[in-house]
Amino acid sequence: MSARLDGLKVFVRTFGCQMNENDSEHIVGVLAAAGAAPAGGPEDADIVIVNTCAVRQKSEEKLYSYLGRLARLRRKRPFLIGVAGCVAQVRGADLAARVPAVDLVIGPDNYLDLPEIIGRAAEAPVVRTDFGRDWREIGPEATARVTPASAFIPVMEGCDNFCAYCIVPYSRGREKFRPLGNVLAEVRSAVAAGGVEVQLLGQNVNSYRDPGSGLGLAGLLEAVAAVPGVEWIRFITSHPKNFGDDIIRVMAACPKICPALHLPVQSGSSRVLARMNRGYDREAYLALVGRLRRAVPDLLLMTDIIVGFPGETEEDFEATCGLLREVGYAGVFSFRYSPRPLTAAAAGPDDVPLEVKRRRLIALQSLQRSLQTGLLRSFVGRELRVLGSGPSPRGGGRFAGRTAGNLVVNFEAPADPSGRFVTVRVGGSGPYSLHGRAVG
Ligand code: SF4
């Protein structure tokens, strides 16, 4: 019989991407199935689990500062402190040694064992960072969804690409794929629980292969679209080098697949892309964007950019700025390069000075802000279908939601539209969002 945690309260703090948000839904779900109840915060928890991101040095630093706060809080009352996710996987026992307040360190492939590990951690610190070769199914019954209308559905995990800067192949292991039948069962379960949008997740979702049939992402998208009740489908993250024409054809043919893609480019310089080991050059990326836009004319693109990768010259950086102008992204996540442990780039010099990285990042963000402002302005006056997500963080009694193109809309409405589709007439725009009024 698995360990029981009846009467205990658990709080999970999440850093990082949608995969981590979904993992936290699993952690809470697995612990709830063992009898634990959610806590409102660390102050009233018996167990605090920090689900971590290792992708940038800054995100790791945030973890250590948060652990310091937890350790101070624990001087007032006892509770267990656990670290899960990518930093846990990569740092393992070193993390427990560096922060003695940590009682358990658990990698992403071990969440099903959490109740038993927590039971043992009450006696002595536990580090569990094994990786299995096969998919470990955490079904919908052990998933505590935060946003039931918009369900995260993992379809693969890990990465085989070994981009020179990226820690993911070490923190998440090699690629493994969730069987199609399990994906579809979770999609049906999500719909039964009120889901209208599904977000298929994986670090490299384009390389999906059903372990039984070999069916790829295009077939998976068609199968998900055939589930009654699914209205919008997104998939993230796409790797440009694995974006086959079969996926583009399905996107063009299936109106349920949202015309929005996160298509990380990282740099606009072919020289830097080669050193990053990305597997495509500037021309191939732009050709892919061209094929996508011909097939899906209203497609909106988002991307990731790293500035200051080792060896990046002013000319390389200008090529990246030129690419932003040429593509016209609806959003860009941009970062200064920081070396991550175990990666190929970390073995060489981090030779772009910090002040140069800072200057380039500010210049790039300012450029993108102006490009984005112009793009969003083109939506003013239009009526858009929006999936409501709740009160707007901007306040003013307004609500927030997203369009199929993944644009944020803040709007006035007569009633809370959370989890429902509404039509919004766009009255204005800023660099990061649209605003308007519900008309239906
Ligand atoms: S494709 Fe590259 S950047 Fe993306 S997860 Fe894999 S190694 Fe990291």
Side-chain angles (χ1 to χ4, degrees):
M1 198 176 106
S2 63
R4 298 293 307 168
L5 303 172
D6 299 292
L8 297 181
K9 292 172 88 175
V10 61
F11 177 72
V12 178
R13 171 80 158 90
T14 310
F15 294 95
C17 62
Q18 287 103 327
M19 284 296 281
N20 264 18
E21 287 175 32
N22 180 233
D23 279 353
S24 291
E25 293 181 333
H26 289 150
I27 291 170
V28 174
V30 166
L31 297 181
E43 297 76 16
D44 67 333
D46 301 295
I47 307 154
V48 176
I49 295 185
V50 193
N51 191 8
T52 60
C53 173
V55 85
R56 270 165 261 289
Q57 199 173 321
K58 209 168 170 183
S59 40
E60 199 171 335
E61 283 160 11
K62 275 195 213 162
L63 162 70
Y64 291 116
S65 128
Y66 188 67
L67 288 176
R69 269 189 277 151
L70 290 180
R72 286 193 291 283
L73 187 62
R74 197 160 72 170
R75 287 193 208 120
K76 297 184 195 152
R77 52 175 286 274
F79 58 88
L80 282 182
I81 300 176
V83 179
C86 294
V87 179
Q89 184 65 41
V90 173
R91 301 292 186 191
D94 291 349
L95 174 62
R98 172 173 172 176
V99 188
V102 169
D103 301 294
L104 65 112
V105 177
I106 183 163
D109 222 15
N110 299 276
Y111 297 151
L112 279 172
D113 304 326
L114 255 172
E116 172 251 320
I117 291 172
I118 286 173
R120 288 182 29 226
E123 309 298 324
V126 180
V127 175
R128 179 79 67 81
T129 53
D130 312 334
F131 260 133
R133 288 172 61 96
D134 300 319
W135 183 265
R136 285 194 85 191
E137 178 70 15
I138 302 181
E141 63 288 349
T143 303
R145 292 201 191 287
V146 175
T147 54
S150 176
F152 292 133
I153 311 277
V155 303
M156 60 87 63
E157 170 132 40
C159 185
D160 292 352
N161 284 321
F162 293 91
C163 299
Y165 53 82
C166 184
I167 201 168
V168 164
Y170 309 97
S171 64
R172 294 282 175 163
R174 300 300 103 76
E175 291 175 351
K176 49 190 174 189
F177 305 112
R178 189 178 191 188
L180 175 67
N182 299 18
V183 174
L184 295 179
E186 182 161 7
V187 171
R188 284 191 286 267
S189 155
V191 170
V196 288
E197 176 185 57
V198 296
Q199 304 200 45
L200 308 180
L201 298 181
Q203 276 88 14
N204 197 16
V205 76
N206 309 67
S207 63
Y208 178 79
R209 285 279 170 272
D210 171 37
S213 65
L215 189 87
L217 179 66
L220 174 70
L221 289 168
E222 287 177 317
V224 171
V227 175
V230 172
E231 298 237 12
W232 280 1
I233 302 167
R234 303 184 192 279
F235 52 102
I236 188 168
T237 294
S238 292
H239 195 304
K241 86 176 162 61
N242 297 124
F243 214 110
D245 286 343
D246 55 341
I247 305 171
I248 299 178
R249 277 195 294 275
V250 172
M251 287 184 74
C254 178
K256 289 185 177 182
I257 301 175
C258 291
L261 270 183
H262 187 214
L263 195 65
V265 65
Q266 308 298 359
S267 169
S269 157
S270 294
R271 200 185 69 92
V272 174
L273 288 170
R275 289 156 54 87
M276 287 177 163
N277 192 31
R278 287 291 288 171
Y280 55 85
D281 59 15
R282 177 190 176 96
E283 288 66 36
Y285 183 90
L286 288 172
L288 171 62
V289 169
R291 289 199 299 282
L292 280 162
R293 287 201 161 135
R294 281 192 294 280
V296 185
D298 54 348
L299 183 71
L300 292 178
L301 291 167
M302 300 190 72
T303 200
D304 298 339
I305 300 281
I306 296 171
V307 301
F309 186 74
E312 184 190 70
T313 62
E314 285 301 322
E315 197 184 333
D316 294 322
F317 175 67
E318 282 307 320
T320 300
C321 293
L323 185 122
L324 294 196
R325 289 189 196 93
E326 193 163 345
V327 175
Y329 293 103
V332 172
F333 298 97
S334 50
F335 308 93
R336 292 194 308 256
Y337 169 76
S338 60
R340 306 308 296 132
L342 307 171
T343 61
D350 178 14
D351 57 4
V352 178
L354 183 58
E355 60 273 20
V356 175
K357 286 182 188 168
R358 281 196 180 126
R359 173 174 52 74
R360 287 180 188 167
L361 187 64
I362 290 168
L364 183 122
Q365 290 178 339
S366 151
L367 168 65
Q368 176 57 25
R369 190 183 152 94
S370 75
L371 293 169
Q372 222 167 282
T373 301
L375 178 70
L376 266 62
R377 199 178 294 130
S378 68
F379 288 87
V380 175
R382 288 177 58 181
E383 288 188 359
L384 301 175
R385 196 175 185 221
V386 172
L387 178 57
S389 57
S392 166
R394 298 275 181 94
R398 289 180 302 170
F399 298 97
R402 284 183 181 269
T403 67
N406 217 16
L407 298 176
V408 174
V409 188
N410 297 294
F411 57 97
E412 292 164 25
D416 187 344
S418 299
R420 289 187 293 113
F421 289 103
V422 285
T423 301
V424 174
R425 181 171 297 127
V426 180
S429 65
Y432 305 107
S433 61
L434 305 172
H435 52 91
R437 181 185 295 270
V439 293

